[in-house]
Amino acid sequence: MSQARVLGMIGLAALAVATVAYAQTTVTPIPESEPVQTAPLTTAAEETGTVTWGDADAGATKAGACAACHGLDGNPTDPQYPRLAGQSERYTAHQIALFKSGERNSGMAAVMKPFADALSAQDARDIGAYFATQTAGAGVADDSVVASGPYKDLKFYEIGEKLFRSGDAARGIPACMACHGPDGAGNPGPAYPHIAGQQSAYSQRRLEEYRAGTTTQADPHLFNVMATVAEKLTDEEIGALASYLQGLHPRAQDFAAADAPAAPAPVAAPAPEAAAPVEAGEAMAEPAEGA
């Protein structure tokens, strides 16, 4: 093979390599995507400056209207009403807004709406701030043993505890604590609610509503998060979750209760002195004129 031919082949090879290298370094722009639709993080009222973060002191006064059902400190005695103590400000204010707009219209909504209608957005923030400063109580979880079914021999609340802490990966059910926290205190950022100690009857009803999957909320994204989880739960699992949540509370509360001084014994009131007996024949005092 002649030297000229060899040089020619080398030149062709070099040209091919250069062509490939050029193709690899040439940037071809892709079509621009549509602008991302963003949602405001605040309401219209907040953007105009008419609403600020809640004032807990102001909320303490305004929350007086809530006391009949929810208790003075947000811990109701009637199990049909939810516990508000410890709930985040944003979540409480948002729920009041949903009652007021009629977007939340199930359960006790008919009772709540007249109260919500009387509140401004700032009132709702103040009330939420007040209840956020209160300590949530807790009830007692059902520890009866399950007699039959897939959870046979477990204590009833243990079904809920397993779902709360671990979920069920096989059925695509995430652990509740992933959003609501290991102690059920919630996450005030995305407004995931405080659920520890919540009344079991209330939690059960809300889980059943999520499982039904129907809502009239204009922005249902948070509702849909829960609906996706609850649709996979059985009646037994919903009941057990509600029971477990009712008894869930920080262990520190147990220590505080154990260390609390005993209540003082009630002091007996002194017996009233006996009136002096009237001697026979002694005249009783005449009443004063005009008596």
Side-chain angles (χ1 to χ4, degrees):
M1 184 180 294
S2 67
Q3 184 178 6
R5 189 173 181 182
V6 171
L7 291 174
M9 293 178 65
I10 292 174
L12 287 173
L15 178 62
V17 171
T19 301
V20 171
Y22 176 77
Q24 290 177 338
T25 57
T26 301
V27 177
T28 303
I30 61 174
E32 291 189 8
S33 302
E34 292 294 324
V36 176
Q37 298 298 316
T38 59
L41 297 178
T42 56
T43 65
E46 290 170 326
E47 288 174 347
T48 60
T50 57
V51 176
T52 62
W53 285 103
D55 181 335
D57 291 335
T61 301
K62 297 173 183 178
C66 313
C69 297
H70 298 285
L72 284 170
D73 62 348
N75 287 294
T77 56
D78 189 332
Q80 68 178 319
Y81 300 116
R83 198 180 299 278
L84 303 182
Q87 195 59 266
S88 73
E89 175 186 328
R90 283 188 63 193
Y91 183 81
T92 298
H94 181 56
Q95 297 309 304
I96 290 174
L98 292 178
F99 283 123
K100 186 171 183 175
S101 68
E103 294 174 64
R104 185 169 169 183
N105 48 34
S106 60
M108 303 292 286
V111 176
M112 269 298 302
K113 191 170 188 337
F115 292 97
D117 286 344
L119 300 174
S120 68
Q122 186 62 58
D123 292 335
R125 281 285 195 170
D126 293 344
I127 289 172
Y130 166 69
F131 284 127
T133 66
Q134 303 304 297
T135 300
V140 178
D142 184 351
D143 63 354
S144 59
V145 178
V146 179
S148 60
Y151 296 107
K152 185 177 183 294
D153 296 332
L154 282 180
K155 293 179 179 179
F156 189 59
Y157 79 84
E158 289 178 335
I159 302 172
E161 181 179 24
K162 179 179 181 298
L163 290 168
F164 182 86
R165 299 196 174 281
S166 307
D168 187 335
R171 290 190 290 158
I173 300 175
C176 305
M177 63 182 281
C179 292
H180 297 282
D183 57 356
N187 185 335
Y192 296 150
H194 181 291
I195 55 177
Q198 189 55 270
Q199 310 275 28
S200 62
Y202 177 80
S203 294
Q204 179 167 336
R205 177 170 60 76
R206 288 296 287 158
L207 284 169
E208 289 169 349
E209 290 170 355
Y210 285 126
R211 184 173 62 180
T214 56
T215 180
T216 56
Q217 293 184 26
D219 181 6
H221 74 282
L222 289 177
F223 180 94
N224 290 339
V225 169
M226 277 300 305
T228 302
V229 175
E231 68 179 356
K232 303 178 180 72
L233 299 175
T234 66
D235 288 345
E236 183 179 41
E237 289 168 338
I238 284 178
L241 257 173
S243 178
Y244 174 72
L245 294 177
Q246 179 171 268
L248 181 61
H249 61 277
R251 188 180 295 273
Q253 291 182 4
D254 295 332
F255 294 139
D259 294 339
V267 178
E273 293 183 7
V278 177
E279 294 294 334
E282 182 176 346
M284 299 294 291
E286 293 292 332
E289 262 188 40

